[in-house]
Each structure stands twice: as C-alpha cells, then as structure tokens.
Amino acid sequence: METDNATYTQIWDRVLIWIKPNLNDDSVYATFFQGSYIDRIEGNTIYAVANTGLAKEVLSKNYGELVSSAVLKTTGTNFKVIFMSEEERSQKAKIQEEEPVFFPDSRLNPNYTFANFVVGASNREAYQAALMIARNPGKLYSPLLIYSDSGLGKTHLLHAIGNSIHENKPNLNVLYTSAADFVDEYVRYARGDKDKDGNSLVSYFSKSVDVFLVDDIQFLVGKKGTMESFFVVFSKLYEQGKQIVITSDQHPNRLDGLDQRLKTRFIQGLTLAIIPPDLPTSEEILRSRIAQSGLNADDFDPDVFTFLAQHFSSSVRELEEALNRLLFYTVSICQVKHVTLDVAKDAVSGLLKEQGNQGKLCEARIISTVADYYNLSPSQLTGKIRTSQIALARHIAMYLMRTLMDDQYAKIGEAMGGRDHATVMSAVQKVEKSLKDDELLQKAISELTLRLTK
Ligand code: ADP
Ligand code: MG
C-alpha cells in the first residue's frame, strides 16, 4: 500500500485513542503503548514499532487481540499487526534496501468470506475442503485444486481461505495472487537484470509465504520460463509442508500446454470441481445478496427468485448481475415497494435479449467474450492498466473486431476505450504475426471465434 506517514499517524492515533479507555489501566498505556507508531503497511499487515524491545514482547503477547480489535474498529479492515522494536525496524530497513519486494499489490478481498458463501450441492465439496484447509493449513492436502467455469465462486473461496487464516492464525503469511500476476512478477524479477536465475523469487516464497493461494492457473499455460520457475517455487513450498491452493478453469489434465510435471503435481493433493448452482442454491444466493444489501426478501414475490434462478444460473456472476439490474430498476426506474414477477421480467429483459441475441455480433459482445475468456472484466479490457495478460486480451479483441466485423481501425479504437488508429493497427498486426507460429494464440482465437459465431 502506498500511503504516506501522515496517514499512518492518523490511523495509529485513532487506534490508540480507542485503546486507551478500553485498556482501563493508564500506567500500562503510558508504559507500553505510548510512543508506538506505524512503520509501514504492506497488504493486510501493519508493521508497528514499539517503544522498547520489552514493549514489543508485551504488546504482541498480551495485547495482540486488543490491538487487532482496535484496528478493526477504527479502520474497518482486518489488518494483522506485527510489532517490532526500533532496532529491528532499522535492520529491516537495511535488508529491505537490498531485497526486492515481491507481489506488492497482492491483497485479500475482505468481502469474500465463508460466512457469505452459499453452500449447495454444486459447490459443497469445494467449500468443505476449503474450510478444512483454512482450519488446518498445510496439514491435510496440498495442493487443493478447485476448478470450474468462470463465475462459480473459485476466487471467492480462495479469498475466504485467506481471510479465515489471516483472522485465526495471524502468524501465518498468506499470499494471494493470480497466475497472470505471477507471470508478470516472474518477468519483472527472475528474467530482469536483478536476478537472472530467479533465486530471490524462490527464496522469497520459502521465507515469507506459508499459504500460497494461486488463482486461474490456466494463465501459466505456454509460459515456459514462468512454468519452470513456478515448478521450483511449488516444489519448495511443498517440501516445506506449506499450504498451496490452486484454481483453474479446467481440470489440469485438460490444460494443453501445461508442463506435464506441473499437471502431476497439481493433482497429487485433492482436486474438486464446482458446477453451476441448482435452482434452490441459486435462489438462496439471491436471498443472501438481498439481505446483504440491507433489503428484505419479503418485498419480492417468491416467483421472482425462481424466475431469475431459471434464467441466470449458469454462473453466479450472471445471477448477481441480473439481481443488480433488478435492484437498480426498482430503485431508479419504476420505484415499486413490492417487486412482482412482471417488474422483474421488465428489469432484466435487456439481459435476456443479450442471451437470445447470441447470433448478433457487435463490439460489446467481442469485448465481453474476450474478457470472459481471460477472466477479466470488460472495463479492464478497455481500460488503461497494462499487465501482459490484459495487453494480450486487448490485442485479441481488436484483432477479432477487425477480422470478424471488418471494422475500421478508428472505430475499433473508439470501442476499446478511445485508443488511436496507430495503436489498433499495431495490435492487429502483432496478432497476425504471432498467429503464424504461436499455437496457444491460434487456439485462443479459434475458441473465441467459435463462441462469437455460434
Ligand atoms: P470464479 O472465480 O469462479 O470466476 P468468483 O469467485 O469470482 O468466480 O464468483 C463470482 C461472483 O459470484 C462473486 O461475486 C462471488 O462472491 C459470487 N459467488 C460465487 N459463488 C457464490 C456462492 N456460493 N455464494 C455466494 N456468492 C457466490
Ligand atoms: Mg476467479
């Protein structure tokens, strides 16, 4: 987290102000708490400096819970707090100058928890395994691999595992990352000038990661160097008895182009699938979402839920999208107090038409299909942020607009969030060129073309 010292001071002041009356002992406060401050915040961890080495011990051992609840109360975020002494801080600062920081943007999403994951026949096993792992990291099966089509809760479960461990076993370091970000990190360090053989990446993992949560492993496919490095990291963590959890959009054996050694390793733990939710589970997901939004399910005719479940259950993401449309519609357009089936049908008619209109090709559909294929959101695809994965998906979308729709470069540029003619042209040419000998790209393009033209 890039935050300045003034913000740290503000946060810590609030924490201390909360702690003081709750501690009920002014001398303990003055002796151990006074003079402490935040050195830095990394991901979900606050590194705080205590006034002496003894204070560090006392704060960590005796007041850890009080501090955690103070932080949660005053920031609304479940930070883990690690105390250190002034000497440790200056030592650490020295080491930090030498050691690269890995995965600086990796962070758990506190909104994805076990508590708000609705369990049904379609996801029960995956849920149970995730829960068991969160309770006993490294002890049961490693890796746990969960695979499914997109939008069925894999990412949610990964974060739920991370959040639960973070809360119940705060001394374990959890790293959540998507495989696409792993690729970028590998390219940034292991292949960069800093570290030709990837040593520091591996040592970072073996020293600083206890629970490794890797999302969307399919994005390693075809990345030779990265797969190699991933294999070393994986094996190291495995040897150390650490917990690894992986998700994939397919069973690893069906991931053509994935290193055979990785396939073998990935399925040596426990491999489970999630399938689309059945109707009762879908309805329960809707009710749970409604409750989370602070609304009352009684304000909806029960057949509204049945209707949405019947039409949007192929993915929970779609189900949520349909519900959001409905909520938006009832608040801003027709402003009803009680939501009937007719209102619901009107509200989502656009979405149903999109489903029915699969044959009609347009730029928006290319964007959403490509985004879905790469597990991105359409706005990531048309936006400005650039990772290798997003850049590739972007180029492919532009290429498909050109080849399937025969669009002018300028029109493509506009559809892609205002990119200029030259950018589009170069993207299209890049894809044309790579297509000659890049089998993965050939596969992606033919799969996407199939989805867009069927
Ligand atoms: P995936 O990673 O498989 O593509 P996500 O975990 O991103 O899917 O899920 C998509 C959306 O659906 C998220 O908002 C997630 O919270 C929600 N979701 C998925 N499964 C469930 C479930 N069983 N209960 C509640 N919400 C769910
Ligand atoms: Mg996901």
Side-chain angles (χ1 to χ4, degrees):
M1 193 193 287
E2 286 288 328
T3 316
D4 55 26
N5 286 332
T7 318
Y8 290 164
T9 309
Q10 241 174 32
I11 295 177
W12 201 242
D13 279 351
R14 268 188 282 147
V15 170
L16 291 181
I17 288 171
W18 190 92
I19 285 180
K20 201 168 177 199
N22 278 287
L23 194 61
N24 238 339
D25 185 338
D26 282 354
S27 63
V28 168
Y29 180 83
T31 313
F32 297 111
F33 283 91
Q34 216 145 46
S36 57
Y37 64 93
I38 295 182
D39 174 49
R40 62 190 193 284
I41 300 181
E42 283 172 18
N44 280 308
T45 307
I46 292 180
Y47 293 88
V49 181
N51 59 25
T52 62
L54 177 67
K56 169 210 151 175
E57 295 292 317
V58 171
L59 292 181
S60 329
K61 295 220 171 86
N62 304 343
Y63 294 102
E65 269 177 33
L66 179 73
V67 172
S68 298
S69 43
V71 170
L72 180 61
K73 282 267 159 34
T74 50
T75 65
T77 307
N78 233 330
F79 284 107
K80 168 176 165 183
V81 183
I82 294 181
F83 283 102
M84 54 190 160
S85 63
E86 192 62 56
E87 291 85 76
E88 284 170 327
R89 188 194 69 83
S90 46
Q91 268 170 14
K92 173 96 189 167
K94 245 194 242 148
I95 297 171
Q96 284 236 319
E97 275 169 23
E98 292 152 23
E99 271 190 19
V101 177
F102 290 103
F103 301 97
D105 299 327
S106 144
R107 182 157 315 154
L108 289 169
N109 181 342
N111 299 323
Y112 289 158
T113 61
F114 286 124
N116 64 17
F117 190 83
V118 175
V119 185
S122 60
N123 57 29
R124 180 165 288 116
E125 284 188 330
Y127 170 82
Q128 288 172 335
L131 194 66
M132 289 309 290
I133 276 191
R135 300 249 161 94
N136 309 281
K139 303 235 159 57
L140 296 168
Y141 10 73
S142 195
L144 166 65
L145 188 143
I146 300 174
Y147 67 97
S148 79
D149 286 342
S150 92
L152 294 179
K154 299 183 294 296
T155 298
H156 188 131
L157 281 180
L158 273 191
H159 284 277
I161 295 174
N163 285 319
S164 162
I165 294 179
H166 188 66
E167 204 172 304
N168 300 312
K169 302 188 188 294
N171 55 332
L172 292 184
N173 286 317
V174 178
L175 177 71
Y176 165 88
T177 180
S178 81
D181 287 342
F182 185 92
V183 172
D184 284 345
E185 205 68 359
Y186 168 77
V187 171
R188 198 157 71 93
Y189 279 102
R191 297 261 308 275
D193 306 333
K194 293 184 181 131
D195 182 15
K196 287 237 162 8
D197 40 19
N199 275 334
S200 62
L201 186 66
V202 177
S203 94
Y204 159 77
F205 272 95
S206 79
K207 273 195 264 164
S208 319
V209 178
D210 302 306
V211 179
F212 185 26
L213 308 171
V214 202
D215 212 354
D216 293 321
I217 201 73
Q218 69 272 13
F219 291 131
L220 283 188
V221 163
K223 310 275 184 333
K224 269 213 165 80
T226 316
M227 282 196 281
E228 192 71 33
S229 147
F230 192 87
F231 181 77
V232 178
V233 165
F234 182 101
S235 309
K236 187 91 198 165
L237 292 178
Y238 183 78
E239 266 166 39
Q240 293 178 309
K242 292 178 172 175
Q243 183 65 53
I244 304 166
V245 188
I246 297 172
T247 72
S248 167
D249 69 348
Q250 289 178 61
H251 190 284
N253 284 345
R254 283 198 298 277
L255 287 176
D256 295 339
L258 185 72
D259 190 334
Q260 184 56 44
R261 292 181 309 169
L262 283 175
K263 285 187 189 174
T264 314
R265 288 289 180 123
F266 287 170
I267 56 178
Q268 76 193 7
L270 180 65
T271 304
L272 296 171
I274 302 180
I275 56 175
D278 51 25
L279 288 185
T281 311
S282 298
E283 291 187 27
E284 206 191 318
I285 290 174
L286 291 168
R287 287 173 194 278
S288 131
R289 277 279 175 264
I290 284 174
Q292 273 176 46
S293 319
L295 301 169
N296 189 344
D298 293 341
D299 293 336
F300 295 72
D301 273 349
D303 46 5
V304 168
F305 299 127
T306 316
F307 168 76
L308 292 179
Q310 276 167 345
H311 288 89
F312 300 99
S313 285
S314 63
S315 107
V316 180
R317 197 173 284 130
E318 271 180 31
L319 199 60
E320 287 183 340
E321 193 187 345
L323 179 64
N324 288 340
R325 283 262 180 124
L326 174 58
L327 298 183
F328 172 74
Y329 187 84
T330 53
V331 171
S332 60
I333 297 176
C334 79
Q335 301 182 339
V336 287
K337 268 212 135 48
H338 191 82
V339 183
T340 60
L341 182 58
D342 284 339
V343 171
K345 280 184 173 164
D346 271 353
V348 302
S349 64
L351 291 176
L352 286 174
K353 248 189 236 139
E354 273 167 38
Q355 284 183 347
N357 256 353
Q358 290 281 313
K360 208 162 148 249
L361 197 55
C362 59
E363 286 80 11
R365 203 176 135 211
I366 293 185
I367 290 174
S368 76
T369 309
V370 174
D372 193 53
Y373 185 80
Y374 285 100
N375 261 336
L376 302 166
S377 68
S379 59
Q380 280 177 306
L381 206 65
T382 54
K384 296 274 175 280
I385 291 175
R386 197 194 146 87
T387 65
S388 59
Q389 190 70 33
I390 298 180
L392 173 69
R394 231 172 243 158
H395 290 170
I396 289 179
M398 295 191 236
Y399 170 83
L400 289 170
M401 288 176 197
R402 180 74 182 166
T403 50
L404 298 180
M405 303 192 61
D406 210 14
D407 271 357
Q408 302 282 333
Y409 291 130
K411 185 164 181 214
I412 298 176
E414 204 175 299
M416 292 299 293
R419 295 184 145 75
D420 64 25
H421 175 278
T423 310
V424 178
M425 195 160 81
S426 122
V428 172
Q429 284 169 352
K430 233 183 230 163
V431 175
E432 280 168 351
K433 193 155 161 263
S434 314
L435 263 177
K436 294 202 178 97
D437 49 37
D438 184 340
E439 277 177 31
L440 273 165
L441 185 63
Q442 291 163 4
K443 226 184 103 206
I445 298 277
S446 68
E447 167 68 28
L448 282 164
T449 308
L450 194 72
R451 285 193 199 178
L452 285 163
T453 51
K454 81 174 167 208

